[in-house]
Amino acid sequence: MNLERRDASLLPVDSLVQALPEILLEDENCSNFLHGNAISQAMTPICGIARIYNMKQMFIGLGEITAEGKIKPKRLLSVCTAQ
């Protein structure tokens, strides 16, 4: 199998968690979140585990939304900021 065919057969990294709700983080919150800090973001009507994305729609990991509206990092991916 050549490299192009192998790349074409790969699934997106977030394909196994598509059933979870999605949260889009603003740039300032995203930076804090990626450093392991819990953040507050308006308009988080859900509680539990959610998929977390940056403003470029890149999956950055999973977060836990608390009843107080805080989003705590659970599992993070290494994200290149140059993209």
Side-chain angles (χ1 to χ4, degrees):
M1 178 181 283
N2 67 22
L3 189 58
E4 287 179 12
R5 287 186 59 184
R6 189 177 333 152
D7 284 347
S9 66
L10 293 174
L11 294 173
V13 69
D14 59 344
S15 63
L16 293 176
V17 292
Q18 288 297 307
L20 296 174
E22 175 183 333
I23 300 288
L24 187 66
L25 295 184
E26 299 165 359
D27 289 335
E28 183 179 320
N29 281 341
C30 187
S31 177
N32 290 330
F33 187 81
L34 286 171
H35 284 96
N37 300 311
I39 58 166
S40 293
Q41 181 161 315
M43 306 296 286
T44 51
I46 56 174
C47 286
I49 304 296
R51 296 175 287 141
I52 310 295
Y53 294 84
N54 65 13
M55 293 302 285
K56 296 178 183 176
Q57 292 291 322
M58 292 174 54
F59 178 64
I60 60 173
L62 298 176
E64 180 179 7
I65 296 118
T66 66
E68 297 82 29
K70 294 262 188 196
I71 305 172
K72 300 190 297 188
K74 291 296 278 182
R75 294 287 181 259
L76 299 176
L77 300 176
S78 177
V79 177
C80 177
T81 56
Q83 292 181 348

